[in-house]
């Protein structure tokens, strides 16, 4: 009662203050009402603030409440109190992680875990399975409550994510599986979920550490909530554990679109270039607020005299007609494109094979430029190509790729980015994709604007082919889309039949027959 006496005194005082204007005879009724409402409103704000203070104090008591340690299985008792994760892991290590055999993390930059591993403050020698869910760097740069706008954030993210991956691989000799998931979600919390086996036949101990991320409060000052469960399926005895576990699981299921295996002993896979892999993720995100916008190109046409009546003002439909003549081999022998991505210009080069004098003219309207890759695996005669099992109007399958967007330095970099975003497929930056064929669409079904699309033919080396078969094909865990292997001969047969029957549109997929014939 004494704890709330000051609140009662303040409330009674506010009521009396609100009544004072009615005891003064020289005030108008309107003034009395205004003064009374003002006093009561101030009193209400004070009461709400005091209630929030009480709740904060109560929550602080919850955070400092000790909970049983995973080391109870050895007969001992060690209470782990809530404290900033960074301080705990660097000064005392992480006794739970040291005895866990399975770990799932949700992190921003993994600064504390990276430092603990590199400083040997923790030794997770028993780990067999680890999943690192890391928030995408572009999301942190824009939306993190305390880290956004920091110029050193990029280097911190790069160094610590790399150090954490390398540190876990080095410190965990029994590790069977390590995956990295890229999270495209607002950064609101960090979390670790550990499974600690018991010495007897009892169910393993599940431990959940949850740290909210709040505007204006540094991450190393935010206390961590500790929860645990001893249920086999972790969903019965502790409603709080279930609630926080479900929140994390739903976030990962909805927004961890890109999965990247680092180590999989069951298929004898270990990612080689960890540094290059981490670098490839620095700009990857499809979060609505940071997704890169497709950039429009101005287009000029260089063509022989006579192919277009007026080379000074060319409509997209006229260029589309020229492309159809090229497809039908009707007086147009080549259709090529030169790109200047920096200046957002594209030049379409058309030839008739007759050395006719050439002129240049502008094509009206902005155009988008597509960058697609036909990823080929298998020996000659039995070759297959990777397709996305995503039917679109007129096509059964989709070709991996997309449009050149802000930040792409050239056509090849756009293909690299699209493969990462769409397939979670990291191809070495030493690979340069080059278009083998072009398509011109005067009015794209999807965009409603003219699109110039290029198609690269890329033969996967043995390492990338094995990765594709193990982790991409059939909607496997690494890919955000269902990927199919399709026989090249089957696609060629269908397209040639369509061309022979007079169809002017591509069938099976939007890659042109001329690109498929290059395989």
């Amino acid at each position: 009662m004494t704890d709330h006496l000051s609140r009662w005194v303040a409330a009674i005082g506010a009521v009396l203050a609100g009544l004072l204007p009615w005891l003064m005879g020289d005030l108008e009724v309107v003034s009395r009402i205004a003064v009374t409402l003002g006093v009561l409103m101030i009193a209400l704000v004070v009461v709400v603030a005091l209630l929030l203070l009480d709740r904060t104090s109560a929550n602080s008591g919850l955070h400092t409440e000790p909970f049983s340690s995973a080391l109870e299985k050895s007969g001992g008792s060690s209470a782990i109190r809530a404290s900033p994760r960074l301080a705990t892991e660097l000064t005392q290590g992480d006794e739970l992680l040291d005895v866990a055999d399975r770990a799932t993390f949700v992190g921003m930059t993994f600064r504390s875990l990276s430092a603990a591993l590199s400083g040997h403050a923790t030794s997770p020698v028993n780990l067999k399975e680890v999943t690192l869910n890391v928030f995408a760097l572009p999301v942190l740069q824009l939306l993190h409550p305390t880290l956004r706008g920091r110029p050193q954030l990029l280097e911190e993210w790069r160094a610590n994510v790399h150090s954490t991956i390398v540190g876990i691989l080095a410190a965990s000799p029994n590790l069977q599986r390590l995956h990295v998931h890229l999270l495209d979600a607002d950064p609101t919390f960090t979390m670790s979920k550990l499974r600690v086996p018991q010495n007897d036949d009892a169910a393993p101990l599940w431990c959940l550490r949850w740290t909210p991320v709040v505007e204006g409060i540094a991450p190393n000052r935010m206390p961590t909530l500790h929860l645990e469960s001893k249920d086999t399926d972790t969903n019965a005895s502790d409603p709080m554990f279930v609630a926080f576990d479900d929140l994390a699981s739903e976030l990962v299921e909805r927004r961890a679109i890109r999965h990247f295996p680092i180590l999989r002993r069951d298929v004898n896979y270990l990612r080689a270039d960890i540094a290059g892999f981490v670098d490839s993720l620095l700009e990857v995100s499809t979060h609505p607020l940071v997704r890169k916008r497709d950039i429009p190109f101005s287009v000029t046409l260089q063509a022989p005299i006579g192919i277009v009546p007026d080379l000074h003002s060319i409509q997209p439909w006229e260029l589309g007609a020229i492309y159809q003549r090229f497809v039908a081999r009707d007086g147009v022998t080549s259709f090529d494109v030169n790109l200047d991505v920096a200046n957002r210009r594209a030049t379409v080069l058309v030839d008739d094979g007759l050395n006719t004098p050439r002129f240049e003219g502008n094509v009206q309207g902005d155009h988008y430029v597509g960058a697609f890759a036909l990823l080929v695996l298998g020996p000659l005669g039995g070759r297959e190509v990777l397709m996305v099992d995503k039917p679109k109007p007129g096509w059964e399958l989709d070709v991996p790729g997309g449009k050149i967007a802000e930040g792409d330095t050239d056509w090849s970099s756009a293909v690299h980015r699209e493969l990462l975003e769409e397939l979670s497929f990291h191809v070495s930056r030493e690979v340069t994709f080059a278009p083998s064929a072009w398509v011109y669409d005067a009015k794209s079904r999807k965009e409603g604007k003219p699109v110039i699309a290029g198609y690269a033919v890329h033969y996967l080396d043995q390492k990338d082919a094995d990765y594709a078969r193990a982790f991409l094909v059939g909607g496997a865990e690494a890919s955000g889309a269902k990927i199919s292997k399709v026989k090249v001969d089957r696609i060629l047969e269908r397209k040639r039949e369509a061309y022979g029957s007079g169809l002017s549109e591509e069938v099976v997929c939007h890659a042109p027959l001329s690109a498929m014939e290059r395989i």
Side-chain angles (χ1 to χ4, degrees), residues 336-359:
D336 203 358
V337 179
N338 285 341
L339 290 178
D340 180 357
V341 174
N343 294 306
R344 302 184 179 185
R345 294 193 60 83
T347 302
V348 177
L349 307 172
V350 174
D351 197 6
D352 60 2
L354 301 175
N355 294 322
T356 307
R358 305 167 66 85
F359 285 88

Side-chain angles (χ1 to χ4, degrees), residues 306-307 321-334 350-354:
I307 285 185
I322 294 174
Y323 173 74
Q324 290 302 324
R325 288 181 60 184
F326 166 69
V327 172
R329 297 179 173 85
D330 179 19
V332 177
T333 57
S334 67
V350 174
D351 197 6
D352 60 2
L354 301 175

